[in-house]
Amino acid sequence: MTFNDCVSLDITLSGSISFSGRIDVNNLEFLQISMTFTSLTGDDGVESITISGTLNIDFSDSTLSMLMNFVARDNTTGDVVMLEDYSVVAVDQVAEASISISGKFYEPTHGFGVITTTVPLQILYSENFPYAGQFTLAGDNSSLRVTAINSLQYTLEVDEDGDGSYDITTTEDW
């Protein structure tokens, strides 16, 4: 698909997206979708962002798996956000979901970070935040670990000097 100043929901799109996928023709459900964005620009009159990269989504029984590799540039500020081998896996467990996230990201203010889910996050569909689970976020010389206590609070542990020992531990509200 190629967009040339296409307006949809007050957003003007220009650029292209190629996609492919598989559909279960008996149930009319998507099984897999792959998309490649080539300099796709979205402009709503206030913000303008250009995205290039790939998004792959697999639907398998009760599991949704996404793999993202893309660069997004704010055309006003020039700031760039990047996701590299960024994976999200969500497993439907009837009243809740189990979610695991991993991958590398870049953000202009703080730089690169690697996120790893050490214990899958458990989120009730009726809540906004996980009630259980843990993930780590590692940078060059520091890291943090977030552990869900319940759907209202989490423990935040920070290793400021990269020695593998957490220097600060605090309980926070989501």
Side-chain angles (χ1 to χ4, degrees), residues 63-132:
T63 302
L64 168 72
S65 301
M66 292 188 296
L67 180 62
M68 296 168 271
N69 285 287
F70 70 79
V71 175
R73 179 174 45 91
D74 182 320
N75 297 320
T76 304
T77 65
D79 288 345
V80 173
V81 174
M82 181 182 82
L83 295 179
E84 184 178 307
D85 293 327
Y86 200 86
S87 170
V88 178
V89 177
V91 179
D92 178 22
Q93 299 172 326
V94 182
E96 65 185 76
S98 174
I99 300 174
S100 295
I101 303 168
S102 65
K104 187 175 187 179
F105 65 91
Y106 172 80
E107 184 276 322
T109 304
H110 299 100
F112 279 100
V114 176
I115 187 167
T116 305
T117 302
T118 51
V119 178
L121 301 169
Q122 301 294 317
I123 303 174
L124 293 168
Y125 290 132
S126 61
E127 298 290 337
N128 293 322
F129 301 103
Y131 69 86

Side-chain angles (χ1 to χ4, degrees), residues 51-68:
I51 299 172
S52 294
T54 60
L55 170 63
N56 294 300
I57 304 172
D58 285 305
F59 306 91
S60 169
D61 296 321
S62 61
T63 302
L64 168 72
S65 301
M66 292 188 296
L67 180 62
M68 296 168 271

Side-chain angles (χ1 to χ4, degrees), residues 8 12-13 26 38 48 54 57 65 82 84 93 105-106 124 133 146 150 159 172:
S8 176
T12 302
L13 297 174
N26 294 323
T38 305
S48 174
T54 60
I57 304 172
S65 301
M82 181 182 82
E84 184 178 307
Q93 299 172 326
F105 65 91
Y106 172 80
L124 293 168
V146 174
N150 55 45
D159 175 4
E172 301 290 333

